[in-house]
């Protein structure tokens, strides 16, 4: 099983977010009171969990852009994918890593040319 850095961000945000929500609920009922710390912390935790879902949707859209470009341009190096999709090379590399691990994209490297990518057959 491959663990991507994007997945670690998602898991961390969800753990911290749900932890903040639980702590805020406890603080609001048994601690110092709702107005002093519990309510703001509850809002922060809930927003962290919510933005994690938005982040995952962003990654799916980013991966879709890479796949859509590769469907019409097989055998393209990372730099050209980056320029065509208007994503940074780091973002494209992250998407390519995820797509290769899922066996949707195949990398082809030659001795004198940069690594090229195409959709798996």
């Amino acid at each position: 099983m491959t663990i991507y850095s994007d997945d670690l961000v998602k898991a961390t945000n969800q753990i911290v977010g749900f932890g903040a929500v639980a702590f805020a609920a406890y603080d609001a009922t048994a601690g110092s009171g709702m107005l002093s710390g519990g309510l703001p912390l509850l809002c922060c935790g809930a927003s962290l969990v919510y933005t994690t879902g938005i982040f995952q949707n962003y990654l799916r859209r980013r991966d879709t852009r890479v796949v859509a470009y590769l469907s019409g341009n097989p055998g393209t190096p990372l730099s050209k994918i980056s320029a065509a999709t208007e994503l940074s090379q780091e973002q494209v590399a992250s998407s390519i890593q995820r797509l290769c691990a899922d066996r949707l994209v195949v990398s082809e490297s030659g001795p004198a040319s940069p690594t090229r990518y195409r959709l798996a057959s």
Side-chain angles (χ1 to χ4, degrees):
M1 179 174 129
T2 304
I3 298 176
Y4 309 109
S5 61
D6 302 330
D7 292 331
L8 291 175
V9 169
K10 174 188 173 191
T12 302
N13 284 350
Q14 286 184 337
I15 290 168
V16 171
F18 284 124
V21 168
F23 178 75
Y26 170 78
D27 187 49
T29 57
S32 60
M34 185 175 281
L35 296 177
S36 64
L39 188 59
L41 188 58
L42 180 70
C43 293
C44 289
S47 66
L48 187 58
V49 171
Y50 174 73
T51 57
T52 301
I54 292 172
F55 179 68
Q56 287 304 107
N57 287 338
Y58 167 74
L59 291 179
R60 280 189 215 103
R61 287 191 308 272
R62 190 173 79 187
D63 291 353
T64 302
R65 287 170 65 182
V66 172
V67 168
Y69 180 76
L70 286 175
S71 69
N73 303 287
T76 307
L78 185 103
S79 59
K80 287 190 178 182
I81 298 169
S82 174
T85 58
E86 298 178 352
L87 297 168
S88 72
Q89 288 193 10
E90 293 80 16
Q91 291 173 321
V92 173
S94 175
S95 287
I96 291 287
Q97 177 191 16
R98 207 172 19 260
L99 293 167
C100 283
D102 292 340
R103 296 184 182 140
L104 297 171
V105 171
V106 177
S107 63
E108 302 168 336
S109 57
S113 64
T115 303
R116 297 177 179 278
Y117 301 95
R118 65 173 176 80
L119 295 180
S121 301

